[in-house]
């Protein structure tokens, strides 16, 4: 299925529309797996903590240790038109894993009663059966607050996982025969009229052995009954959508430059501060993770993050004695991660 360039009428800019009707807007964020801000060295495998994120917005849980994630360059891949793809690698033990993206409630509610297609391209290190489905947080749940333990049991081989309270598969999950070559897979459902959140999910049907891999790319959730051609957003737009749910601040590398530095002159015991304005309004007031051993001069103890809001936060610290003070990132392990994810 394709799309056509249509006029929106007088005074409205033309745009692409799905052939035969439908909505080409992709309700998934980071479908191309371009962004993995929790990985300080994109392109290198890193171990994803259980119930955490590899690529931004793509939450991962596993049956046992461990799953790694890597963002790979796709420019040499036959069968892809995206710049990157994501690779999930099972390590240490054989086991199953589940990957989910929750669509924010403000965007899920308009999908009620509509036919949607979740599509994704996949390949694996060998022939695998991968299950994919559209899930919902049912009406008894609280919007944008699915259970933290989204998967309560992984089940035996060929048995679907058990999902948490008020989380259900819409209609049915579908088995997909994934090979070592890129193929497009999809599942089409009608969203119940009282769903709170819609979720796109895929999982291993049976145990992956250590070192088995699953690669994914070009994921989308569209209001249509047919698979759509891959049409990514502009990268800065995609980045801001990801940062609505979380971002790394102060990180120092060849791309971001020297990170952060604040210096000045203060009195003994005086508290100083620096406001951090989030790049975009966040989904909720974020929690923060402070990493590394930051450089300091004439500062008592460590700094803290205070006055957090949807739009900003403040670095706060106390000056030890009257004189010059200095706070700065001291290498590539010094950063703050602001997390406002749904899961």
């Amino acid at each position: 299925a394709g799309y056509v360039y249509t006029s929106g009428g007088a005074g409205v800019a033309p745009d692409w529309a799905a052939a035969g009707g439908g909505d080409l807007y992709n309700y998934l964020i980071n479908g191309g797996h371009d962004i993995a801000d929790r990985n300080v060295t994109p392109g290198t495998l890193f171990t994803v903590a259980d119930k955490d994120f590899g690529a931004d917005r793509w939450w991962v849980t596993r049956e046992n240790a461990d799953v790694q994630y890597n963002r790979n360059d796709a420019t040499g891949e036959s069968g892809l038109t995206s710049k990157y793809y994501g690779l999930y690698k099972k390590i240490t033990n054989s086991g199953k894993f589940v990957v989910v993206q929750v669509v924010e409630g403000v965007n899920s509610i308009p999908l009620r009663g509509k036919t949607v297609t979740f599509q994704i391209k996949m390949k694996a290190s060998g022939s695998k059966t991968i299950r994919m489905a559209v899930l919902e947080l049912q009406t008894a749940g609280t919007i944008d607050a699915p259970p933290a333990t989204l998967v309560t049991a992984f089940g035996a081989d060929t048995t679907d996982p058990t999902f948490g309270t008020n989380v259900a598969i819409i209609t049915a999950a579908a088995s997909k025969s994934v090979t070592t070559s890129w193929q497009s897979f999809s599942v089409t459902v009608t969203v119940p009229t009282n769903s709170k959140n819609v979720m796109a999910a895929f999982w291993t049907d049976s145990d992956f052995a250590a070192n088995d891999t699953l690669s994914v790319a070009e994921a989308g959730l569209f209001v249509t009954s047919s698979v759509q051609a891959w049409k990514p957003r502009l990268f800065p737009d995609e980045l801001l959508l990801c940062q609505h749910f979380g971002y790394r601040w102060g990180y120092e590398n060849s791309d971001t430059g020297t990170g952060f530095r604040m210096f000045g002159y203060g009195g003994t015991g005086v508290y100083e501060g620096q406001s951090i304005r989030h790049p975009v309004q966040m989904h909720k007031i974020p929690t923060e993770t402070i990493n590394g051993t930051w450089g300091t001069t004439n500062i008592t103890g460590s700094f803290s993050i205070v006055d957090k809001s949807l739009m900003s936060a403040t670095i706060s610290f106390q000056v030890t004695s009257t004189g010059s003070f200095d706070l700065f990132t001291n290498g590539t392990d010094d950063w703050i991660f602001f997390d406002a994810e749904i899961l």
Side-chain angles (χ1 to χ4, degrees):
Y3 41 86
V4 293
Y5 201 55
T6 62
S7 171
V12 179
D15 200 358
W16 293 100
D23 182 358
L24 273 179
Y25 183 80
N26 188 354
Y27 285 81
L28 298 183
I29 296 171
N30 201 24
H33 287 70
D34 298 344
I35 301 158
D37 204 24
R38 289 165 180 80
N39 183 5
V40 296
T41 52
T44 302
L45 282 165
F46 77 103
T47 299
V48 182
D50 189 30
K51 304 181 184 69
D52 208 344
F53 294 83
D56 281 28
R57 299 263 45 233
W58 293 98
W59 180 88
V60 184
T61 185
R62 75 291 196 275
E63 183 178 15
N64 51 31
D66 241 338
V67 171
Q68 292 184 320
Y69 177 79
N70 184 21
R71 185 195 73 180
N72 287 330
D73 193 301
T75 53
E77 294 287 313
S78 176
L80 295 183
T81 58
S82 56
K83 175 65 171 68
Y84 298 104
Y85 69 91
L87 180 144
Y88 296 91
K89 181 179 182 180
K90 190 72 179 70
I91 62 169
T92 311
N93 299 297
S94 296
K96 300 165 75 174
F97 61 88
V98 179
V99 183
V100 180
Q101 182 172 147
V102 181
V103 178
E104 191 173 9
V106 68
N107 294 321
S108 289
I109 297 302
L111 298 178
R112 287 175 168 179
K114 293 183 172 65
T115 297
V116 299
T117 294
F118 167 37
Q119 62 185 64
I120 190 168
K121 288 185 177 179
M122 294 188 282
K123 73 172 184 176
S125 53
S127 296
K128 301 288 186 182
T129 298
I130 301 298
R131 300 278 281 170
M132 59 185 295
V134 179
L135 313 179
E136 65 161 331
L137 180 64
Q138 297 172 310
T139 187
T142 300
I143 194 167
D144 290 339
T149 304
L150 193 72
V151 175
T152 59
F154 286 85
D157 286 355
T158 72
T159 299
D160 283 338
T162 301
F163 292 100
T165 304
N166 298 317
V167 176
I169 295 171
I170 299 176
T171 308
S175 292
K176 305 300 178 180
S177 297
V178 178
T179 68
T180 56
S181 298
W182 287 108
Q183 300 175 78
S184 181
F185 302 97
S186 66
V187 60
T188 299
V189 303
T190 298
V191 178
T193 58
N194 58 1
S195 293
K196 294 289 182 65
N197 287 94
V198 173
M199 313 176 202
F202 57 90
W203 59 89
T204 56
D205 185 53
S206 298
D207 285 353
F208 265 38
N211 297 319
D212 284 352
T213 64
L214 175 67
S215 298
V216 298
E218 300 182 15
L221 182 70
F222 300 97
V223 179
T224 181
S225 59
S226 57
V227 173
Q228 300 300 306
W230 176 243
K231 183 190 171 202
R233 299 178 186 93
L234 295 177
F235 180 80
D237 296 336
E238 199 78 54
L239 179 61
L240 283 174
L241 288 171
C242 288
Q243 290 175 334
H244 176 60
F245 295 95
Y247 71 98
R248 187 185 306 275
W249 184 90
Y251 177 54
E252 180 179 338
N253 64 14
S254 58
D255 295 326
T256 60
T258 57
F260 169 79
R261 186 164 200 168
M262 178 185 175
F263 56 90
Y265 189 93
T268 301
V270 171
Y271 281 89
E272 299 283 349
Q274 172 68 51
S275 179
I276 300 170
R277 185 168 180 83
H278 304 316
V280 64
Q281 179 176 310
M282 304 202 77
H283 165 67
K284 61 184 178 184
I285 294 175
T287 59
E288 77 280 354
T289 299
I290 300 172
N291 194 73
T293 305
W294 292 49
T296 63
T297 302
N298 197 25
I299 289 173
T300 300
S302 59
F303 67 90
S304 59
I305 304 298
V306 299
D307 298 333
K308 291 178 289 185
S309 72
L310 297 178
M311 301 301 298
S312 64
T314 299
I315 291 179
S316 176
F317 56 86
Q318 186 178 32
V319 177
T320 303
S321 59
T322 299
S324 299
F325 62 81
D326 198 359
L327 172 68
F328 54 95
T329 52
N330 199 28
T332 57
D333 65 339
D334 295 350
W335 44 259
I336 305 167
F337 194 91
F338 291 99
D339 192 340
E341 260 294 354
I342 295 173
L343 280 170

